[in-house]
Amino acid sequence: MESERNGISQPEDDVNPQALLGVLENSQAAAVSESLWPVNPLWHGPLLALGIWGILAFSWEQSSPAGLIGLAVALVALYFTGFQYMRRRKTKGARPSGTMVGKYVVMLGFASVMTLAIIIGWGQTLYRFGGSTPGPLGIIIGLAISSIVTTMGISITNTLSRQWLGSAG
Amino acid sequence: MTLEGLDPVLTPPKRLACMGAASATDKVEFAFLTDYLGLSDSDLSKQLKALIEVGYLTSTKTGKGVTRRTWLTITDAGRKALASHTAELQQMIKPELPIPEPG
């Protein structure tokens, strides 16, 4: 049985060196991509947003129970988005080419800018809904905005990592 | 095109892709290869068995129950065989030098 995926549909008794080298390069790039930037489910978006919210809550109310609850929530959320993210990798110990390292740095930069945008969005939302202490409505709206933006960001980076990091080069 | 000089174990594209993924990392999970290649577990197992039997890959299992994972690692022999196979493929696509016309 033949597979149609990733250029391996070539019949096994017909040797096309160019196609075989393409199969080899693409499989190497995909394995490296999986190790550097594993594709994750979108539920990591709301969890990451929850983590950011928890850390912000702790920074506002460090000594109060609400702040400590926020910190606990943040730690749990970040555990799932960080450690689980790393644990889900299906390849380990990648040997990326120079081009792939460059692409990876660009994607990390994109993710960092996106995270910064979420934090700025939070600040603007809380400012709009009044005062330095966020009300329940501010928290809910901010969390919803963060979740949507983060989920969209994960969706974009997943697509980029598949098509960009996962291509040979 | 002639198969001379190519490693017959590595000629099937499915096996070549498995070796490529393994060569680019320290270890590759079985599930990655099924996802990437779009192969069934049984088909992939058959391809991997051929590579393991000739000593190109080794297989290790981690975890228990639902967390059980199978990892594939390329051996030194596998790396050498892949390098030789790749060099042969590259040689095959090199353009032939034009024959100079007499006079």
Side-chain angles (χ1 to χ4, degrees):
Chain A
M1 191 175 72
E2 287 177 15
S3 170
E4 294 299 322
R5 209 183 284 187
N6 297 309
I8 62 163
S9 58
Q10 185 186 359
E12 292 182 2
D13 55 351
D14 178 20
V15 177
N16 178 343
Q18 193 89 48
L20 288 175
L21 286 171
V23 166
L24 183 64
E25 284 179 14
N26 286 336
S27 66
Q28 288 171 330
V32 171
S33 166
E34 171 66 22
S35 182
L36 295 178
W37 203 284
V39 173
N40 278 276
L42 291 179
W43 51 256
H44 277 182
L47 272 180
L48 187 58
L50 204 59
I52 294 169
W53 167 80
I55 288 170
L56 284 174
F58 182 68
S59 70
W60 294 322
E61 301 284 341
Q62 286 182 10
S63 56
S64 77
L68 293 174
I69 291 169
L71 183 65
V73 168
L75 290 177
V76 172
L78 292 177
Y79 167 78
F80 278 105
T81 53
F83 289 97
Q84 291 291 324
Y85 183 88
M86 297 304 285
R87 201 183 69 80
R88 290 176 68 90
R89 286 181 306 167
K90 292 175 183 169
T91 63
K92 290 185 179 174
R95 298 179 186 82
S97 64
T99 313
M100 278 200 78
V101 170
K103 287 179 177 181
Y104 184 62
V105 168
V106 169
M107 283 193 63
L108 270 182
F110 174 72
S112 302
V113 168
M114 197 185 70
T115 306
L116 190 64
I118 293 168
I119 293 170
I120 291 170
W122 258 101
Q124 287 185 337
T125 305
L126 296 177
Y127 179 76
R128 177 168 293 182
F129 285 90
S132 57
T133 307
L137 185 64
I139 287 175
I140 291 167
I141 291 173
L143 196 56
I145 292 170
S146 302
S147 298
I148 291 166
V149 173
T150 314
T151 308
M152 281 172 60
I154 287 177
S155 177
I156 293 167
T157 49
N158 280 354
T159 307
L160 280 177
S161 69
R162 276 199 186 110
Q163 295 184 354
W164 199 40
L165 286 181
S167 60
Chain B
M1 194 168 281
T2 176
L3 295 174
E4 208 172 315
L6 292 176
D7 186 335
V9 179
L10 298 180
T11 307
K14 296 168 189 172
R15 291 185 200 161
L16 189 61
C18 293
M19 288 294 287
S23 71
T25 54
D26 286 345
K27 53 183 181 178
V28 181
E29 199 192 342
F30 184 92
F32 171 77
L33 294 173
T34 53
D35 290 349
Y36 176 69
L37 298 173
L39 299 178
S40 65
D41 286 3
S42 60
D43 191 5
L44 181 61
S45 294
K46 198 172 70 179
Q47 306 300 332
L48 292 176
K49 190 181 170 192
L51 294 168
I52 291 168
E53 275 178 357
V54 293
Y56 290 173
L57 291 179
T58 57
S59 166
T60 50
K61 292 185 190 300
T62 59
K64 288 179 180 174
V66 291
T67 61
R68 194 165 180 80
R69 301 166 92 179
T70 302
W71 297 92
L72 287 314
T73 307
I74 193 167
T75 62
D76 288 342
R79 207 172 281 285
K80 280 179 191 165
L82 183 65
S84 166
H85 189 76
T86 308
E88 192 63 35
L89 287 172
Q90 285 166 339
Q91 192 66 33
M92 287 166 79
I93 58 173
K94 270 188 181 173
E96 289 178 13
L97 292 173
I99 300 167
E101 288 180 16

